[in-house]
Amino acid sequence: FGSHFEMEDDRQGIGGGWTVRSDIKVQPSDRLQIVVTPRYNQENSGHQYVTATQTLSYSPTYGVRYLFADLSRRTVSMETRLDWTFTPKLSLQLFAQPLLSSGDYIQYKQLAASESYDFLEFIQGLGSSTAGGVTCIGICSLEGRQHVDFNRDGIADYSFRDRDFNMRSLVGNAVLRWEYRPGSTLFVVWQRRQSDHALLGDLDFERDAMALFQAPADNRFIIKMNYWMGL
């Protein structure tokens, strides 16, 4: 059993992150070994690029408005490996890695000037839909989109899809190896892939794990046989 901790810091981008990982090894016998590596990672990116627009031309950045955000990302995964030797001629290898990840854009901002690292932060407001458009002061989230009021007149000037996300994935494979005669081997391989995507932004282990195992799966079976002919 072992554990590992890592930390990173990004002073300029006001970001950073840390990772905690454990390595658990179980070996009930000389023929069977199981290694499980759970991992949790938290990462904050200070200025993540989002999009650009020429809406209401902005001269300090040559007419284009460049939008960024603070991104908070969480990831949990568990890598599992199994090696089982039944006999010197028959063995099984198994690998599986479920992964859950979320990304939450928590502070949108605009680049203040070209060749700089200065930003104009948008105030988070409440938006409402009207016949004349979306009323909003600052930036407002409404129906899966972010609406921005650049000139502060209370009416949204530009909108883009909310970038919050959740990714769930599972990859796994199993290989059964049988040496049915000296130098001749049969391999039976099973591969499985599952993935799911949602626009949520928060990591909820129970909810995301349930969504992963309910996601469509791609299963493939492969048989390979080698036959050695002695001459």
Side-chain angles (χ1 to χ4, degrees):
F1 175 82
S3 61
H4 182 72
F5 180 81
E6 300 175 354
M7 177 173 286
E8 298 179 354
D9 190 17
D10 177 10
R11 297 293 181 183
Q12 187 180 26
I14 317 176
W18 55 272
T19 300
V20 60
R21 185 191 76 208
S22 293
D23 298 301
I24 305 169
K25 180 179 179 180
V26 180
Q27 190 164 1
S29 68
D30 294 337
R31 297 183 177 183
L32 176 61
Q33 177 179 286
I34 303 171
V35 179
V36 180
T37 306
R39 184 193 310 264
Y40 177 80
N41 172 259
Q42 180 172 317
E43 182 180 357
N44 299 306
S45 302
H47 302 307
Q48 177 71 35
Y49 174 77
V50 176
T51 187
T53 177
Q54 294 182 350
T55 302
L56 297 183
S57 181
Y58 184 71
S59 58
T61 49
Y62 305 105
V64 181
R65 295 178 183 268
Y66 297 94
L67 304 185
F68 293 76
D70 294 343
L71 172 61
S72 176
R73 184 161 187 168
R74 308 287 183 268
T75 303
V76 59
S77 65
M78 186 171 69
E79 183 179 295
T80 302
R81 297 180 182 272
L82 179 147
D83 291 287
W84 196 347
T85 303
F86 303 104
T87 70
K89 297 184 178 182
L90 182 64
S91 63
L92 173 67
Q93 291 184 320
L94 174 68
F95 170 82
Q97 185 184 47
L99 182 145
L100 308 174
S101 182
S102 68
D104 184 16
Y105 288 78
I106 54 180
Q107 174 62 68
Y108 288 97
K109 60 196 75 176
Q110 177 185 321
L111 185 64
S114 62
E115 300 181 4
S116 76
Y117 214 72
D118 298 326
F119 295 87
L120 306 173
E121 294 187 351
F122 296 117
I123 299 174
Q124 188 67 45
L126 298 175
S128 62
S129 181
T130 66
V134 175
T135 61
C136 173
I137 297 178
I139 188 168
C140 307
S141 178
L142 187 65
E143 298 179 350
R145 299 188 66 83
Q146 295 288 342
H147 300 265
V148 190
D149 175 21
F150 290 129
N151 58 10
R152 302 181 182 180
D153 64 353
I155 302 296
D157 304 302
Y158 176 70
S159 72
F160 57 91
R161 181 183 59 80
D162 199 320
R163 297 299 197 266
D164 292 348
F165 65 87
N166 284 67
M167 293 292 297
R168 304 110 173 196
S169 71
L170 170 66
V171 294
N173 62 71
V175 180
L176 181 68
R177 178 185 179 276
W178 175 37
E179 187 177 356
Y180 58 93
R181 56 172 294 170
S184 300
T185 311
L186 176 69
F187 294 92
V188 180
V189 181
W190 168 57
Q191 297 178 334
R192 182 181 179 91
R193 291 182 179 273
Q194 281 180 273
S195 63
D196 181 69
H197 181 266
L199 304 176
L200 297 172
D202 65 313
L203 184 64
D204 184 307
F205 183 82
E206 182 176 356
R207 179 201 64 202
D208 293 335
M210 184 67 67
L212 170 60
F213 289 108
Q214 291 178 348
D218 178 28
N219 291 286
R220 299 187 180 188
F221 294 89
I222 303 170
I223 297 177
K224 178 182 178 181
M225 184 174 69
N226 297 328
Y227 183 81
W228 183 78
M229 300 179 62
L231 299 177

